[in-house]
Amino acid sequence: MSASELETELIELRRQINLLELRFARTSAHFARTFDPDLSASDDPDQWLREECRMTSHAAYSAIDIGELEPQLTASIAALTSGEIGLNHLSWMAHTASRLQQSATATSPFDEQKLLSHAKENTVQRFRRKCDQFIHEADHQTFVREQVDGVEARRLTLTTYEDGSVALDAILDPEGGAVVKAAIEPFAQKHSANDYRGLSQRRADALVEVLSHLLDNGAVPQRSGQRPHLHVTTTLETLLDHVGSPPAELETGALLSGTTISRLACDSTMVRVLLNSESMVVDVGRAKRVVPTATRRALNVRDRGCVWPGCDRNASWTQAHHLIHWTDGGLTDMNNLVLLCRRHHWMAHEGGYVIVRSDEGALLTFATHPAFGPAGRDPTLIAA
Ligand SMILES: [Zn+2]
Ligand SMILES: [Zn+2]
């Protein structure tokens, strides 16, 4: 078959399918009108269609709607059979008519001709918006009620796995979803052409980055007199990353490696707790910032933001990093400190890269553990 013959064949097949769909819709509506739950294993005709005809609930409702509203949709059905609109256009047309018919607050009636002209000119997705606009004009209260229903369907489930990883599963109303997207998308861009993270990884990083920024800046209300933050308990051996040391622990019980503790200890507030041989607390030191506030201010002025090549995070989105870690004898002074954003601070500790200052004072990044990161990544590339 030639390309044009195939095209003709497809259009004819679609026309026949649409005719069959119409027949199915009429029969479904007839079935729904005469449905008797006492004589059926299903509670209602929608359920019967879903289970016995293996349909989605949307397809089942839609078939019944089209069949029931056929007298109001004569021009649209003619347009479907002539191929001017598709079945999904007709389905939204029927749904819109049904919404208005069932409403006690509609201020103007269903106008088939007005919607049909939109259906002929628009894709299904755009036509769906036209239908919603029509409802807004013809029945403002139903529109508001449907929006409220959408908000009430919101949810966010946090599931913590045994290793401390957290799965997020959420449905947000359109406005809430737009806020989340607007907040995280600017932070989910690639740092450079060498940024090997996929979009979903960048979004995950962006979410944590934005929320960390809120915590770091005290934008979250205090709880029990303390600013909410990560609380980590570690032994001195773990902090010094000694072989054979136990892992550190987050408040949630999740375990952290000595490598992660090194990163957290670069820029944090530490409290020394001494235990005796029976693990009883014998002394608690004063909370002390690793990087004093005055040093941090000076760093903000000097570095202005993350110093990783190509990164644009400004100072308020960064953490102070020791080029030589203080647990290895590095000083907490301007010569040994640089600002890194959350992502690049991770790269410099767990990510298999090191950042060093050359004799000329330039900052360079090198891959040290090419085994980290995705397979096939060129370890000689400066990463971002
Ligand atoms: Zn660091
Ligand atoms: Zn950065």
Side-chain angles (χ1 to χ4, degrees), residues 191 306-308 311-313 318 339-345:
H191 283 292
C306 177
V307 300
W308 199 275
C311 186
D312 63 359
R313 295 290 189 273
T318 60
L339 295 183
L340 290 177
C341 70
R342 185 182 172 79
R343 162 74 184 158
H344 289 131
H345 200 193

Side-chain angles (χ1 to χ4, degrees), residues 266 321-322 345 349:
C266 250
H321 169 66
H322 292 70
H345 200 193
H349 285 268

